[in-house]
Amino acid sequence: MSVPTTASSGPVVRAEDVRVWYGTERGPVRAVDGVTFDLRPGEILGLVGESGCGKSTLGRGLLGLLPDGAKMDGALEFRGENLLTLSKRELAERRGVDLGMIFQEPLTRLNPLMRISEHFRETLRTHEPGLSKAEMDRRALDVLRRMGIPPTRYRSYPHEFSGGMRQRLMIALALVLRPAFVVADEPTTALDVLVEAQIIRILHDLRREFETSLLLITHNLGIVAEACDRVAVMYAGEIVEIGDARQVFSDPQHPYTRELLRSTISLSTTGLHYIPGAPPDLVEPPPACKFHPRCPDAMQVCATRWPAPVQLPAGSRAQCWAAEERNRLIRLTEDERRPLERRELSVADEA
Amino acid sequence: MASAAQGSLPRYVVQRLLLMIPMIWVVVTVVFLLLRVAPGDPVSASVGGRLSEEELDRRREALGIDRPLWQQYLEYLGDVARFRFGESLSDNRPITSIIIDNGGATLTLTLGAFLVALVIGIPLGLVAGRRRDSAADVGIRLFGITSYAVPVFVTGLVLVLLAGGTGWPTYDIASPITKFQVEPVTHILLVDALIAGDMGAVGDVLQHHVLPCLTLGLLLCGVFIRLVRVNLLMTMKGDYVEAARARGIPERYVVRRHAFRNALVPLITVLGLQVALTLAGAILTERTFNWPGLGTQLVDYLNARDYPAVQGLVTFFAVIVVVTSLIVDIVNALVDPRVRY
C-alpha cells in the first residue's frame, strides 16, 4: 500500500478526547466517550465495532451533523482549526468543500424531484459561486466519468439508477468539491457483494486521484483488511484499540478485537463464534473497563480501575490492563490479577 | 427503469375515462333507488294535501311514476346512455341548462375556496412543521382542527355576524344591479363581468365571493395544514435532506429546495380527494349565503322530490369528482418524475 509521505504535512484531522452525548429522560447517553485519533492526508482509517457502539455518531459528529439535543465536547481539528468552536454557519460552509460524507443508504439520499445535474449544480454553486454553468457541468461530468457513470445519464432522475450506481453518484457528489476528508458511513451495507467490491475499489483509489483522507465506518472486517491503512476498534463509545490494520488483525492486543475477529465468518468457518452478552447500556455503562462484563480475560483490576489508552511496543494503541501487563508496561499485584468471577448472564442480558 | 416501458399517459387517461362508465352506472342506480326509497314523490311534495287522492294518482300517471320501478329504471338508464338527462319535473328546466346556469356560481365558489385553503393552509402548515411543538405550532394545529370541525353553516353565520353592520355583502353572488347589467356569455358571472369590461361589476362579484369562499376555504385549510405539517416533519428527517446538509447546502435552501418541495407533492393527491368534500361543503355554504349555485338547486329539487333533476345533478357531481381525480393524477405525473403510467 502506497501511503503518501506524511513527514512534511501534519494530520488532516485530529480528534482529541471527543465526546458526544444525547440527552434522554433517563440521563445522558454517552454515545462517544473520549475518542482520540488523527488522520494523515490520503490515509484510510477503518472504524469498526458492533451496532450501537457510537461509530455513526462519531462520523456525523465530525461533520457537525448531529441531531438536535446532541452535545459534543473535546477538541476536533481540521488542518489545525478547531471545528467545535465554529458557528453552525461556518461549519456548514466547511461541509462539502473540506469535509465530505458518504452515507449508508444510497437509495434515499438523492432528492427524488431533482435531476442529477441539479444536485451537482446546487452543490457547486453553493461553494464556488463564480462558476459558469458550463464549467459546473464540466466538473460534474469529469467526476461522473471517473465513477463510471456515462455522461448521457447526467440529466436523469435518481430513481432511474440502480443502487450501486446511486452510491457512485453519491461518491461523485461528495468528491466534486475535492474535500480533504471524507466520512464514509457503511457505504456498502445496502449493496450486493459485487457492487460492494466495486465501491471499495473506488474508495481505495480516491487517495491516488484526490488525496482524500477517509474515515471508513463499517462492521465488515474484510473490507477493513482490504482497503484500510489503519483500523480503530470501537466499543461502547471508546476506541479500545487503534493501529496499523495488518498489525491489529494479525496480533490483536485488546480481547474485544480478538473476539470480534474470531466472530467473522469465512468459508473455513465451522461453528459460529459470538461474544456473549450485549453491548452495554450507554446511560449507565459498566465501571472501569466497559468491556469487562463480557471479557473472557477479565481480571479483578478490570472491574475497579479504568485502563488508560497506552501505546504498545508493537505500534498499536490499546486500553486494556491485560495487554499492558503482557507487554510488561505495568506490574499488577496478585490481587489485581486474579480472574474476575463472572456473574452468570441472565437470559435477559443475552437477549 | 425506462419510463416508456410502462405504458403511456394517453393510454392511462383513456383507461380511466372508460372506467367512468361503470362508475356512473353505479351512481345513477344508487341515486335512483335512494330517491324511490325516500318517502313522498314529486306529486305529493308539490301539491299533496291540496288535491284529492284521485287527482294525485292521475298526475302520477301523467308523469309515468306509477309504473313498475324496473320499467322506470330501464327507461332512465336508456336516456342517460344517450346523454338525455331530461327536464326537471318541478319547474320544467332541462337538466343541462340548470348545470350551465348555476354551475358557474359553484365553480367560482369552490375554486375560490381552494385558493383560500391553499393560501392559508400551506404557509401555516410549513410554519407549524418548521417550528414543531412551539407555541405557533400548537396555535396553528388548534386552528386547523377547529376550522375543520366546525360545521360550515356555523362558520358562515359567524362570518355574516362579524360582517354585519360593515355593509360588506353577506348573501348572493352579486348585487341585483350587477346581475341585471352583466350579459350572460359563459354563465360564470365573474368571467362575464370581465368580458363586459365592467370593473365595477367585477369588484362587486369579488366582494360577494369573499365570505362564502372564506367559509368553505376554512373547512379545507384544516386538512391542508395538518397534511403539510406532517409531510414537512417527515421530509425534514429525510435521508436526502441530511445528505444535502452534508454537502454544505445552506439550511434555508435545504428547507426550501429539498424539504418543502417534497412535502408538497402529496398535497396534489389530497387536493383531488378533497373535491368531494368541497362539493358537499359547497351545498351547505350555498345554502348559508343564498348562493345561486348547484348546491342550492340540489336542495330545492330534493325537497321537491324532483327525480330527474336530483339524479342529473348528483351524476354531474360524480363526474366532476372523477374527472378532477384524473386531472390530479396527470398533474402528479408531471410534477413527480417517479410517477409514470
Side-chain angles (χ1 to χ4, degrees):
Chain A
M1 286 191 217
S2 58
V3 184
T5 49
T6 54
S8 56
S9 50
V12 181
V13 171
R14 209 175 62 80
E16 202 177 317
D17 201 27
V18 168
R19 291 164 197 275
V20 180
W21 62 96
Y22 302 107
T24 66
E25 283 156 22
R26 289 175 54 220
V29 174
R30 279 177 267 170
V32 176
D33 200 3
V35 159
T36 300
F37 69 91
D38 53 20
L39 202 55
R40 290 180 288 273
E43 188 181 38
I44 303 183
L45 173 64
L47 186 62
V48 297
E50 282 166 289
S51 304
C53 70
K55 302 188 298 272
S56 291
T57 299
L58 176 60
R60 277 175 172 66
L62 295 179
L63 268 81
L65 284 176
L66 293 170
D68 292 338
K71 286 268 183 305
M72 199 164 169
D73 192 18
L76 179 60
E77 286 178 8
F78 175 79
R79 288 182 170 153
E81 176 187 40
N82 193 348
L83 293 177
L84 295 187
T85 55
L86 294 180
S87 71
K88 263 186 149 175
R89 196 203 172 109
E90 286 170 319
L91 194 57
E93 279 166 11
R94 301 286 190 290
R95 283 201 293 267
V97 223
D98 294 334
L99 317 160
M101 179 125 190
I102 300 165
F103 292 94
Q104 186 173 351
E105 326 77 358
L107 294 179
T108 51
R109 290 292 177 182
L110 293 158
N111 184 339
L113 300 184
M114 280 167 65
R115 294 175 194 277
I116 298 309
S117 52
E118 294 173 275
H119 280 91
F120 277 100
R121 283 181 200 151
E122 180 189 53
T123 308
L124 284 164
R125 205 183 306 122
T126 301
H127 296 287
E128 297 178 35
L131 283 182
S132 70
K133 210 167 186 179
E135 181 65 13
M136 286 194 278
D137 289 349
R138 198 193 59 70
R139 289 266 297 272
L141 286 169
D142 182 51
V143 191
L144 284 174
R145 189 175 47 74
R146 286 167 194 248
M147 294 301 138
I149 309 263
T152 48
R153 305 297 301 277
Y154 185 49
R155 307 258 313 143
S156 302
Y157 283 100
H159 71 276
E160 295 168 326
F161 293 89
S162 68
M165 281 180 110
R166 278 191 237 185
Q167 190 59 292
R168 279 183 280 152
L169 285 172
M170 292 307 298
I171 296 174
L173 209 42
L175 294 182
V176 71
L177 294 164
R178 306 192 168 220
F181 171 60
V182 171
V183 174
D185 189 359
E186 305 199 25
T188 59
T189 305
L191 308 172
D192 68 66
V193 280
L194 290 177
V195 180
E196 177 169 44
Q198 186 188 32
I199 298 292
I200 294 303
R201 182 89 249 148
I202 288 172
L203 292 178
H204 191 249
D205 289 345
L206 285 186
R207 62 168 141 210
R208 205 173 51 223
E209 302 211 27
F210 299 97
E211 269 231 329
T212 310
S213 305
L214 193 67
L215 181 71
L216 181 58
I217 301 174
T218 178
H219 48 236
N220 186 333
L221 297 173
I223 288 180
V224 175
E226 200 170 320
C228 297
D229 306 312
R230 285 195 303 149
V231 59
V233 181
M234 253 184 117
Y235 185 79
E238 296 176 340
I239 290 183
V240 292
E241 181 164 2
I242 180 169
D244 180 80
R246 289 178 181 193
Q247 169 72 35
V248 169
F249 279 12
S250 61
D251 183 19
Q253 294 296 314
H254 197 284
Y256 179 67
T257 315
R258 194 184 67 217
E259 296 298 308
L260 204 60
L261 285 166
R262 276 182 69 195
S263 306
T264 53
I265 301 166
S266 72
L267 281 178
S268 55
T269 309
T270 48
L272 288 181
H273 178 82
Y274 65 98
I275 307 175
D281 179 6
L282 294 179
V283 178
E284 289 173 70
C289 172
K290 288 178 183 170
F291 187 57
H292 83 261
R294 297 171 76 190
C295 182
D297 304 349
M299 302 175 288
Q300 289 296 335
V301 64
C302 300
T304 48
R305 277 196 291 149
W306 181 71
V310 168
Q311 202 68 43
L312 299 173
S316 57
R317 192 186 78 209
Q319 47 182 63
C320 174
W321 290 119
E324 284 182 53
E325 160 118 288
R326 198 163 52 243
N327 286 288
R328 296 173 207 290
L329 295 174
I330 44 152
R331 290 197 65 129
L332 296 170
T333 65
E334 202 61 37
D335 233 16
E336 288 171 327
R337 213 182 303 146
R338 224 177 42 238
L340 193 66
E341 285 160 46
R342 298 178 62 78
R343 276 185 300 133
E344 280 302 307
L345 288 167
S346 68
V347 180
D349 281 343
E350 291 267 13
Chain B
M1 281 219 291
S3 53
Q6 295 161 14
S8 60
L9 193 58
R11 204 177 120 194
Y12 174 76
V13 172
V14 171
Q15 272 176 5
R16 284 285 297 264
L17 288 175
L18 286 176
L19 272 175
M20 274 175 70
I21 295 170
M23 194 217 73
I24 285 171
W25 170 67
V26 170
V27 168
V28 166
T29 307
V30 168
V31 175
F32 181 91
L33 290 176
L34 275 179
L35 280 173
R36 267 42 174 209
V37 169
D41 61 46
V43 175
S44 63
S46 59
V47 288
R50 280 179 280 158
L51 293 174
S52 68
E53 203 54 45
E54 295 83 56
E55 181 61 23
L56 289 181
D57 279 338
R58 218 171 47 70
R59 296 199 172 200
R60 286 193 183 106
E61 206 183 315
L63 289 174
I65 56 174
D66 59 330
R67 292 174 300 155
L69 214 53
W70 63 269
Q71 263 187 23
Q72 296 181 46
Y73 175 62
L74 287 182
E75 191 186 75
Y76 183 66
L77 270 192
D79 284 346
V80 170
R82 281 169 287 167
F83 294 104
R84 285 191 352 211
F85 290 93
E87 295 174 354
S88 65
L89 297 178
S90 47
D91 51 6
N92 283 324
R93 288 169 70 193
I95 308 300
T96 42
S97 79
I98 299 175
I99 291 171
I100 291 170
D101 289 347
N102 299 95
T106 302
L107 181 73
T108 49
L109 168 66
T110 44
L111 287 183
F114 268 114
L115 193 69
V116 168
L118 292 175
V119 165
I120 298 178
I122 292 181
L124 286 187
L126 291 178
V127 169
R130 214 45 204 101
R131 313 194 186 291
R132 183 185 189 170
D133 294 332
S134 66
D137 179 27
V138 173
I140 288 170
R141 269 153 68 196
L142 269 177
F143 170 76
I145 293 171
T146 314
S147 72
Y148 185 67
V150 173
V152 166
F153 50 87
V154 174
T155 318
L157 287 177
V158 169
L159 288 180
V160 168
L161 273 176
L162 290 177
T166 61
W168 192 267
T170 55
Y171 67 95
D172 211 341
I173 192 168
S175 52
I177 185 81
T178 305
K179 280 174 147 181
F180 180 73
Q181 279 175 343
V182 173
E183 193 71 32
V185 184
T186 59
H187 294 276
I188 302 168
L189 195 57
L190 187 59
V191 178
D192 288 343
L194 281 169
I195 290 173
D198 184 347
M199 282 309 136
V202 172
D204 182 49
V205 175
L206 284 178
Q207 277 191 8
H208 279 78
H209 270 81
V210 169
L211 291 186
C213 290
L214 200 57
T215 304
L216 191 50
L218 282 175
L219 172 73
L220 287 171
C221 85
V223 180
F224 292 155
I225 288 173
R226 295 181 66 78
L227 185 79
V228 170
R229 175 180 177 273
V230 169
N231 281 332
L232 186 64
L233 287 179
M234 242 165 50
T235 53
M236 283 299 288
K237 282 198 207 124
D239 285 346
Y240 49 84
V241 166
E242 193 190 19
R245 284 200 190 109
R247 290 196 296 275
I249 313 292
E251 188 63 18
R252 63 179 186 284
Y253 291 122
V254 171
V255 172
R256 208 179 300 162
R257 262 187 234 135
H258 296 267
F260 278 14
R261 271 180 65 187
N262 279 284
L264 293 183
V265 171
L267 196 70
I268 299 167
T269 309
V270 173
L271 213 65
L273 295 174
Q274 294 307 314
V275 169
L277 172 75
T278 316
L279 288 176
I283 295 171
L284 292 170
T285 311
E286 289 181 10
R287 248 354 225 188
T288 311
F289 290 95
N290 209 8
W291 195 257
L294 289 178
T296 306
Q297 295 293 321
L298 183 64
V299 175
D300 287 344
Y301 287 128
L302 262 173
N303 287 333
R305 296 290 182 277
D306 194 325
Y307 294 157
V310 172
Q311 285 162 181
L313 289 181
V314 172
T315 308
F316 178 69
F317 279 154
V319 171
I320 292 293
V321 170
V322 175
V323 170
T324 43
S325 78
L326 178 62
I327 293 172
V328 162
D329 281 352
I330 295 171
V331 172
N332 226 343
L334 296 178
V335 172
D336 189 338
R338 284 167 299 181
V339 180
R340 289 287 180 269
Y341 297 103

